[in-house]
Amino acid sequence: MELINASTRYCAVLGHPVRHSASPAMQNAALKELNLPWCYLALEVHPQDLRAAIAGAKAMKLIGLNLTVPHKTAALEMVDVVHEKARRSGAVNTIVFETPSLGGDWVPLGQVAVEDVGPIRSHGYNTDAQGLARSLEEDFQWPDLRGASVLLLGAGGAARAAALQLAEEGIDSLFLVNRTGAKAEQLAAELRGGFPKIHIITRLPHDPVDLVINATSVGLKASDPPPLAEEWLESRRPRRVYDVIYRPAETRLLRAAKKAGCQTANGLGLLLYQGAAALELWSGRAAPVAVMRAALQKDIYG
Ligand code: NDP
């Protein structure tokens, strides 16, 4: 904080609520490591004020924004340009403010001196899918998902981003299960249209799968039941179980999966790598992931 002066530039995460966010700890550690005179803030923004908040950030020449619950879907309609991946995911989790360079190309504000900033546009991205891909690769030492069978629990924003990423990586079969079945059916229909070679089935698999992903919010509270019955885990024993939840570090699902002999990982890697990708978009620099991971672990787990 002592580094803040009249030249400091800003990024922020907008959420409602936002006080739980670990992104400021992670991003400010990275900014320090990269020696960038920027500061990353967490700002509480009510959904009805989101459009005004994005416009205000643009007017104040912020470098970029992250969006967390419940803003990701609404933001899609509030940015000037939407990246293809964000459009297909139906959600924006990162906004890059851009200005024309001398050559006329739009460049991120974070890569331009303030004096050179002209007109500004907001460019909406989604880095969650990329974050998940890097996390799966690293946490499971699993670089190639081609041909895999996956059970995906959920059909909200996180599940949607995961489903698209898995489909793009060429998995063989995707089992989609959600509390509200109609939402799983809708997501399945969209995926079948875009990826006709993938088997998309809206029920639990009968045979063991290579991967289970919990992309529901079930498990955030200690009192939550596991999103999959323990007997199912024991009898079908999937090879890997990934929970997008990272707080608590070990959900009931992961505990049961470990007991059943599955490889397990929580969503910390997703959080880390979606943030790393956002920082790379803003700064054009390689994100210092080791520093960011350490900052996250300290902030979340103490
Ligand atoms: P959404 O609100 O878009 O979706 C929530 C999903 O959870 C829906 O599929 C919903 O089912 C399901 N669900 C909620 N409550 C229950 C319940 N009681 N029983 C069964 N299913 C339930 O949220 P997101 O997709 O944005 O987020 C989902 C989870 O992913 C959250 O825990 C979030 O914290 C986490 N997340 C983690 C990230 C990370 O960086 N690690 C990044 C993004 C998200 P239904 O459709 O029936 O309502």
Side-chain angles (χ1 to χ4, degrees):
M1 285 302 154
E2 69 273 15
L3 295 177
I4 289 184
N5 60 36
S7 306
T8 305
R9 299 177 72 185
Y10 299 93
C11 323
V13 56
L14 311 184
H16 180 74
V18 81
R19 292 290 153 236
H20 66 282
S21 175
S23 289
M26 164 173 72
Q27 297 289 8
N28 285 315
L31 296 176
K32 191 169 172 207
E33 177 71 13
L34 293 177
N35 216 10
L36 283 168
W38 304 358
C39 181
Y40 185 103
L41 309 167
L43 303 174
E44 175 79 30
V45 173
H46 192 274
Q48 73 190 26
D49 298 323
L50 182 62
R51 191 179 290 279
I54 294 173
K58 184 178 176 178
M60 290 189 286
K61 301 185 176 57
L62 261 69
I63 280 162
L65 295 173
N66 282 136
L67 301 159
T68 186
V69 178
H71 298 321
K72 293 184 193 184
T73 308
L76 199 63
E77 307 303 326
M78 297 177 187
V79 289
D80 301 318
V81 185
V82 181
H83 186 264
E84 182 54 24
K85 206 152 197 166
R87 184 174 304 288
R88 276 189 284 129
S89 307
V92 167
N93 81 329
T94 300
I95 295 176
V96 181
F97 291 111
E98 299 172 334
T99 193
S101 67
L102 288 177
D105 297 333
W106 289 90
V107 287
L109 254 57
Q111 298 169 42
V112 174
V114 176
E115 316 70 86
D116 297 332
V117 173
I120 299 175
R121 73 175 190 184
S122 51
H123 196 157
Y125 287 85
N126 191 311
T127 64
D128 281 339
Q130 193 181 336
L132 176 68
R134 284 187 72 179
S135 181
L136 289 176
E137 179 179 344
E138 186 174 273
D139 293 329
F140 294 132
Q141 299 292 301
W142 191 23
D144 188 359
L145 272 69
R146 266 176 300 178
S149 52
V150 181
L151 165 60
L152 179 60
L153 305 173
R160 204 183 168 78
L164 279 162
Q165 183 67 29
L166 295 165
E168 277 174 14
E169 293 199 26
I171 61 166
D172 174 78
S173 38
L174 181 62
F175 295 83
L176 273 175
V177 175
N178 188 48
R179 175 179 61 176
T180 309
K183 279 166 72 180
E185 293 293 349
Q186 190 188 331
L187 179 56
E190 279 175 48
L191 289 166
R192 286 187 193 111
F195 303 91
K197 287 195 187 141
I198 302 177
H199 302 98
I200 300 182
I201 305 122
T202 49
R203 60 160 170 77
L204 283 174
H206 301 307
D207 298 319
V209 288
D210 296 306
L211 171 67
V212 173
I213 299 179
N214 175 40
T216 73
S217 38
V218 181
L220 281 174
K221 287 181 266 151
S223 56
D224 282 348
L228 259 185
E230 291 183 17
E231 304 75 55
W232 188 91
L233 280 169
E234 268 158 32
S235 63
R236 303 303 197 290
R237 200 187 298 168
R239 291 179 68 182
R240 308 167 184 87
V241 176
Y242 189 94
D243 201 329
V244 295
I245 293 170
Y246 52 82
R247 197 186 338 233
E250 191 173 73
T251 55
R252 281 182 71 180
L253 172 69
L254 293 186
R255 212 165 30 248
K258 213 181 254 179
K259 199 167 140 226
C262 319
Q263 264 185 283
T264 60
N266 72 17
L268 194 84
L270 196 177
L271 180 65
L272 168 66
Y273 285 116
Q274 63 76 32
L279 179 60
E280 288 173 358
L281 286 171
W282 295 326
S283 68
R285 310 256 308 264
V289 287
V291 168
M292 295 170 84
R293 184 193 299 279
L296 273 183
Q297 278 169 337
K298 185 165 173 230
D299 189 73
I300 298 172
Y301 306 127

